[in-house]
Amino acid sequence: MENTMENRIYDEKNGLWYEKQGDYYIPCLSLPEQENKSIGIWGQRHLRYIKQYKRVFYANLLTTCKLNSYLADVDEQAKDMFSRLVKDLAEKENVTEKLKSQNQMLWIQRMYNIRHRATEVVNADLIYT
């Protein structure tokens, strides 16, 4: 090992810098940069879930720099599933633009109910699993 500063040394064998902390030299490690994708509400919910209930899985994603892309993927899948469910349920239950123009309050009630059910399905099938 070659001494470059009194508190830092470089080991040519492994190519790592070490920093003195107390009586020990600790390697100066950092995670590689990862692409920073936008994470929406679904991804944030799933993040909270895996942090609390799947700690090893969370730690593995974090240390392999795959957490952000994983959450972005879950978020995208959840958005697609939610949109598809809302559309399918609205068609199945005849909640249309015609109903909206005829009875706006009834349309709002039914759409709220459909969106709530779709949220429950996405949470159960994708977010909290």
Side-chain angles (χ1 to χ4, degrees), residues 39-46 70-86 115 118-129:
I39 308 298
I41 188 71
W42 300 106
Q44 294 295 327
R45 287 179 186 170
H46 190 64
Y70 169 76
L71 291 173
D73 186 45
V74 168
D75 190 65
E76 189 64 34
Q77 288 178 36
K79 282 183 207 173
D80 292 345
M81 180 186 261
F82 179 78
S83 295
R84 189 177 64 251
L85 283 169
V86 168
R115 291 176 62 84
T119 299
E120 291 299 316
V121 170
V122 173
N123 283 339
D125 290 355
L126 200 58
I127 303 303
Y128 302 123
T129 58

Side-chain angles (χ1 to χ4, degrees), residues 47-62:
L47 174 61
R48 282 193 304 271
Y49 173 76
I50 64 173
K51 269 185 169 179
Q52 186 170 2
Y53 297 106
K54 297 191 173 196
R55 292 180 183 164
V56 172
F57 179 64
Y58 168 74
N60 286 338
L61 287 171
L62 189 62

Side-chain angles (χ1 to χ4, degrees), residues 2 6-7 9 15 27 36 42 51 55 70 89 106 111:
E2 161 187 319
E6 59 187 51
N7 289 332
I9 58 173
N36 193 10
W42 300 106
K51 269 185 169 179
R55 292 180 183 164
Y70 169 76
L89 288 170
L106 179 61
M111 282 304 292

